[in-house]
Amino acid sequence: PSYPGSTIPIKFSEKQQSSHYLYVREHKVREGTRSSWPQKRTLFVLNVPPYCTEECLSRLLSPCGPVQSVELQEKPELAESPKEPPSKFFHPKPVPGFQVAYVLFQKPGSVSAALALKGPLLVSTESHPVRSGVLKWIGDYTDSVPDPEALRVEVDAFMETYDRKIAEEEAKAKEEEGVPDDEGWVKVTRRGRRPVLPRTEAASLRVLERERRKRARKELLNFYAWQHRETKMEHLAQLRKKFEEDKQRIELMRAQRKFRPY
């Protein structure tokens, strides 16, 4: 189903003559579909230009009511998916180009006020200038250099969450081990009596090389018993043949031996 929407003209600054249009409507989903964005309080925005950041969009729409959060995305989300907390160190930067935005207001009436905006709204003003050109490149480079202390705090928090998740999964697997389900089936897990020590990449490569050499040596040897017997018989036949040839050579040498005084 289609939902009524509106357009909001915006300009980068007062120097810009023509306006850029944002296409906005109330965020709604089909019945039975879950969404991570609350309905009645979420404004869906299309055609967001690259120079309009989340902070700019929040400032432009703040006259309609307090903005709780703004999120820019490459394309609309089709279904609810688990979201990880945002990180400026390990998450990729937004794709440069036009994007879509989800603006979450604190009050439901703010969505109707945003749909009634006429504009044009200015992205860059004297009180809130937006960097562009060389200044923007310098700022992007400065922002790309991480703060070691902030990075350490985020890594520690991530590892604590990861360790807690792994411990919960192991505890749950240990509780379910050997317990039959409703139908009487017992789930077989990969848990063993002795924990397997993790291998480094170099150690794994050494083990694979040893296994390869071992297989090569086995391929050179006679693997089956009948092959071993045939090899012995061929070796004995070669010895007998060589022995007969030596006997004939000796007899020939004795027959040709004569007394030659001169």
Side-chain angles (χ1 to χ4, degrees), residues 3-241:
Y3 304 106
S6 178
T7 58
I8 302 176
I10 64 172
K11 292 182 179 181
F12 179 78
S13 64
E14 294 181 352
K15 298 179 181 179
Q16 188 175 356
Q17 300 296 328
S18 59
S19 298
H20 179 84
Y21 289 90
L22 301 178
Y23 303 103
V24 296
R25 64 172 174 82
E26 182 182 351
H27 172 63
K28 291 184 179 180
V29 294
R30 295 178 179 177
E31 186 177 357
T33 304
R34 300 182 60 185
S35 175
S36 56
W37 296 100
Q39 300 191 44
K40 305 295 185 181
R41 295 192 297 120
T42 304
L43 183 71
F44 179 61
V45 187
L46 281 171
N47 203 30
V48 181
Y51 55 80
C52 189
T53 61
E54 295 176 350
E55 293 78 10
C56 294
L57 204 56
S58 176
R59 177 170 50 84
L60 293 178
L61 298 176
S62 58
C64 302
V67 178
Q68 181 174 332
S69 64
V70 178
E71 182 173 331
L72 291 172
Q73 296 183 2
E74 182 182 1
K75 54 185 179 180
E77 58 180 24
L78 300 179
E80 183 181 14
S81 59
K83 293 184 178 181
E84 297 181 357
S87 170
K88 62 180 180 180
F89 300 115
F90 299 103
H91 286 250
K93 293 183 179 180
V95 178
F98 293 90
Q99 303 175 81
V100 301
Y102 291 88
V103 182
L104 178 60
F105 291 97
Q106 295 183 5
K107 299 179 180 180
S110 301
V111 175
S112 302
L115 294 174
L117 281 176
K118 298 301 180 182
L121 308 178
L122 299 180
V123 175
S124 179
T125 60
E126 294 182 0
S127 58
H128 298 87
V130 176
R131 295 175 300 188
S132 62
V134 177
L135 295 178
K136 183 178 183 302
W137 296 344
I138 296 175
D140 293 343
Y141 173 76
T142 305
D143 297 338
S144 66
V145 179
D147 180 16
E149 182 62 23
L151 179 61
R152 183 190 64 79
V153 171
E154 182 169 332
V155 171
D156 292 344
F158 176 83
M159 292 308 301
E160 289 177 3
T161 305
Y162 176 79
D163 293 339
R164 184 166 58 253
K165 179 181 177 182
I166 294 299
E168 292 175 356
E169 291 178 355
E170 290 181 352
K172 184 178 179 181
K174 190 174 182 180
E175 292 177 358
E176 296 178 353
E177 186 176 2
V179 179
D181 56 9
D182 298 337
E183 299 180 358
W185 294 93
V186 177
K187 182 179 179 181
V188 180
T189 63
R190 300 180 61 183
R191 290 169 48 86
R193 294 182 179 179
R194 293 181 299 176
V196 180
L197 296 177
R199 290 179 176 176
T200 61
E201 186 176 358
S204 301
L205 292 177
R206 287 196 296 270
V207 171
L208 292 176
E209 182 64 21
R210 285 199 297 268
E211 292 294 333
R212 188 188 64 79
R213 292 178 181 176
K214 188 176 180 180
R215 288 196 301 268
R217 287 196 299 269
K218 284 186 177 181
E219 290 175 358
L220 295 177
L221 299 176
N222 294 323
F223 185 75
Y224 296 101
W226 62 270
Q227 288 180 334
H228 192 60
R229 288 195 299 269
E230 285 188 356
T231 303
K232 282 187 175 181
M233 292 176 62
E234 290 177 1
H235 184 61
L236 290 175
Q238 291 178 359
L239 290 178
R240 291 194 185 99
K241 182 179 179 181

Side-chain angles (χ1 to χ4, degrees), residues 245-258:
E245 291 176 355
D246 291 341
K247 284 177 60 177
Q248 294 178 4
R249 190 180 302 108
I250 292 173
E251 291 294 332
L252 182 61
M253 291 174 61
R254 287 178 178 175
Q256 292 179 351
R257 187 167 56 186
K258 296 180 182 179

